């Protein structure tokens, strides 16, 4: 029978140390996925930057602020639940995109753009 | 206004934010979900940043080559002036959230007074910090609503957290000698804080709690702490005490 239990540094049980008691993490699988769009500065469009889990739209905005604007990346955030995004089918790639490939006259390569015009 | 009171008040502000930052830091890598792990860690970094500003100012006031690191790592438990609330253990997510809410709502009232106070450095630090604090109030307040008005279990946990933490909030509104000397109006802070917490608790469907009918622990502001602080400082100060002046 062990009468005296010695603790060494680093061995102190967490409940005795007064520090955080590890709470097993709940999987976030029941939280929906959200797509995040950030506008980096005034006049530019919102760009897709990634996705995250959140319980509702308000939390998604706050999570996006914490996850995607830590380094001053943005001034405006949009979020939309991923399930609302309809994706084109990869199987339809040929009919959707190939007809455009031989229509070079649609590309603005025949114009000279002044240097002052940015973001084109 | 004596210089000693200004130093003590600055150390109180520094110690409270450092100790709460150290506590929250325990969650790094253990948050309930990745996004909230990042959120609480962001708040932690804000708190440590505020602590640094206050320690740097205190070191400058003390003079004689005193540094922020000396103040953070080379003072003992009885020299720390942080309020007791900040040193309370993390418990579960509900307790961590509620502790942050109580403290952020308190900071919002206190820092508004510092902003309009007659010390220009404290006023400048308060101005910068208030933007952070507004977000902390919003984030933690929303979590209180989410948990209080959430599931049966989250509600129960938040009620339990309230019971655990409530005896430590009374101290916030009892002026330490240095607060009185520095003309901090704790009665006004108490009023603003209680009104905001009452509103929040109603929204979160939590039972209202009274500040006057509960036994309140005191002493943190003048260096008499609960057992929990010693363990926290031992861990936080270990490296500097073992390898004095070490840098990396």
């Amino acid at each position: 029978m062990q009468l005296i239990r010695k603790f060494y540094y680093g061995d102190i049980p967490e409940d005795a140390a007064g520090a955080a008691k590890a709470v097993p993490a709940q999987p976030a699988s029941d939280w929906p996925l959200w797509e995040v769009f950030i506008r980096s500065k005034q006049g530019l469009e919102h760009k897709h930057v990634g996705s995250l889990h959140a319980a509702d739209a308000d939390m998604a905005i706050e999570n996006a602020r914490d996850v995607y604007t830590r380094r001053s990346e943005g001034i405006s955030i949009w979020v939309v639940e991923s399930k609302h995004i309809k994706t084109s089918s990869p199987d339809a790639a040929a009919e959707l995109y190939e007809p455009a490939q031989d229509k070079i006259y649609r590309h603005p390569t025949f114009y000279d753009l002044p240097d002052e015009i940015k973001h084109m | 206004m004596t210089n000693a009171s200004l130093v003590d008040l600055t150390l109180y502000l520094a110690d409270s934010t450092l100790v709460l930052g150290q506590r929250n830091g325990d969650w790094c890598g253990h948050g309930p979900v990745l996004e909230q792990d990042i959120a609480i860690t962001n708040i932690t970094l804000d708190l440590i940043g505020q602590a640094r500003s206050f320690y740097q100012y205190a070191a400058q006031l003390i003079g004689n080559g005193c540094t922020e690191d000396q103040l953070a790592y080379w003072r003992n438990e009885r020299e720390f002036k942080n309020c007791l609330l900040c040193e309370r253990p993390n418990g579960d997510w509900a307790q961590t959230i509620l502790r942050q809410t109580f403290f952020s709502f308190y900071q919002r009232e206190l820092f508004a007074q510092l902003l309009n106070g007659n010390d220009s450095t404290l006023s400048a630090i308060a101005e910068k910090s208030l933007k952070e604090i507004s977000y902390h109030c919003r984030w933690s307040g929303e979590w209180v609503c989410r948990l209080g008005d959430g599931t049966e279990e989250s509600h129960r946990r938040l009620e339990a957290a309230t019971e655990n933490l409530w005896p430590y909030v009374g101290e916030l509104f009892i002026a330490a000698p240095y607060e009185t000397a520095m003309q901090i109006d704790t009665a006004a802070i108490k009023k603003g804080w209680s009104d905001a917490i009452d509103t929040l608790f109603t929204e979160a469907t939590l039972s209202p709690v009274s500040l006057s009918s509960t036994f309140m622990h005191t002493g943190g502001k003048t260096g008499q702490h609960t057992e929990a602080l010693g363990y926290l400082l031992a861990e936080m100060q270990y490296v500097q005490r073992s390898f004095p002046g070490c840098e990396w």
Side-chain angles (χ1 to χ4, degrees):
Chain A
M1 189 168 77
Q2 192 182 26
L3 291 175
I4 299 174
R5 192 168 165 216
K6 274 182 149 178
F7 292 132
Y8 298 95
Y9 183 81
D11 289 343
I12 302 166
E14 286 194 337
D15 51 343
K21 202 169 174 186
V23 179
Q26 298 290 321
S29 52
D30 49 344
W31 284 2
L33 193 66
W34 299 75
E35 300 301 322
V36 181
F37 301 81
I38 306 261
R39 163 184 276 173
S40 57
K41 59 180 174 181
Q42 213 60 259
L44 292 193
E45 74 281 29
H46 287 74
K47 276 209 171 115
H48 185 242
V49 293
S51 54
L52 46 75
H53 287 98
D56 57 33
D58 288 333
M59 191 197 272
I61 292 269
E62 288 184 8
N63 286 351
R65 179 261 189 195
D66 283 323
V67 175
Y68 291 111
T69 68
R70 287 159 51 89
R71 298 172 190 86
S72 307
E73 290 94 337
I75 55 160
S76 169
I77 300 172
W78 283 352
V79 291
V80 62
E81 232 185 299
S82 308
K83 69 177 183 192
H84 296 306
I85 292 180
K86 171 83 177 162
T87 309
S88 62
S89 164
D91 298 339
E95 55 189 280
L96 287 176
Y97 313 119
E98 276 179 26
Q101 278 175 5
D102 60 354
K103 301 185 174 63
I104 54 163
Y105 47 85
R106 290 178 180 169
H107 295 266
T109 47
F110 305 103
Y111 308 94
D112 286 328
L113 282 178
D115 291 338
E116 289 76 23
I117 300 181
K118 298 186 174 99
H119 312 305
M120 282 285 284
Chain B
M1 184 178 88
T2 64
N3 197 44
S5 296
L6 177 58
V7 171
D8 282 351
L9 177 67
T10 308
L11 285 175
Y12 164 62
L13 298 164
D15 291 343
S16 295
T17 41
L18 178 68
V19 167
L20 184 56
Q22 176 72 12
R23 274 279 183 251
N24 281 347
D26 270 3
W27 278 103
C28 186
H30 300 279
V33 294
L34 178 67
E35 291 83 357
Q36 298 304 329
D37 190 287
I38 295 174
I40 189 81
T41 314
N42 271 347
I43 290 177
T44 301
L45 288 172
D46 288 344
L47 290 168
I48 302 284
Q50 292 169 15
R52 285 197 63 193
S53 302
F54 289 126
Y55 280 128
Q56 284 164 2
Y57 184 41
Q60 181 197 326
L61 292 168
I62 292 166
N64 295 322
C66 180
T67 65
E68 52 177 318
D69 280 359
Q70 278 173 17
L71 293 171
Y73 294 124
W74 289 91
R75 284 183 308 138
N76 291 328
E77 203 181 338
R78 287 298 292 265
E79 295 166 275
F80 268 75
K81 301 184 194 322
N82 62 280
C83 51
L84 299 174
L85 177 69
C86 292
E87 73 200 38
R88 298 313 299 153
N90 285 347
D92 56 11
W93 185 246
Q95 182 156 318
T96 295
I97 291 295
L98 193 66
R99 184 184 58 198
Q100 188 64 49
T101 307
F102 286 165
F103 187 68
S104 293
F105 277 52
Y106 165 70
Q107 272 194 310
R108 189 168 59 184
E109 303 293 327
L110 172 63
F111 280 42
Q113 288 191 20
L114 296 177
L115 179 65
N116 300 313
N118 43 24
D119 187 275
S120 59
T121 306
L122 287 186
S123 173
I125 300 172
E127 185 177 10
K128 177 175 180 290
S129 306
L130 273 166
K131 294 189 193 97
E132 298 166 348
I133 293 164
S134 299
Y135 184 74
H136 302 169
C137 288
R138 175 179 146 162
W139 181 85
S140 58
E142 279 185 14
W143 262 109
V144 167
C145 292
R146 203 176 287 286
L147 295 176
D149 197 15
T151 65
E152 204 174 298
E153 183 184 1
S154 69
H155 183 88
R156 179 178 54 75
R157 283 178 180 245
L158 199 54
E159 292 271 15
T162 310
E163 200 170 314
N164 283 339
L165 293 176
W166 196 257
Y168 298 96
V169 298
E171 182 195 30
L172 301 173
F173 316 117
I174 300 169
Y178 50 83
E179 286 179 289
T180 312
M182 292 296 294
Q183 294 162 356
I184 301 292
D185 183 356
T186 45
I189 295 175
K190 182 179 183 177
K191 172 91 175 62
W193 187 90
S194 321
D195 289 351
I197 292 294
D198 280 350
T199 309
L200 180 66
F201 270 38
T202 307
E203 197 183 338
T205 71
L206 291 165
S207 330
V209 200
S210 154
L211 275 173
S212 52
S213 64
T214 312
F215 168 76
M216 292 292 180
H217 297 275
T218 55
K221 287 178 173 179
T222 49
Q224 288 158 302
H225 293 279
T226 67
E227 187 188 1
L229 183 66
Y231 292 101
L232 181 147
L233 293 184
E235 187 173 1
M236 186 182 78
Q237 297 180 334
Y238 172 78
V239 174
Q240 274 301 312
R241 302 262 184 158
S242 301
F243 307 96
C246 85
E247 289 178 30
W248 64 86

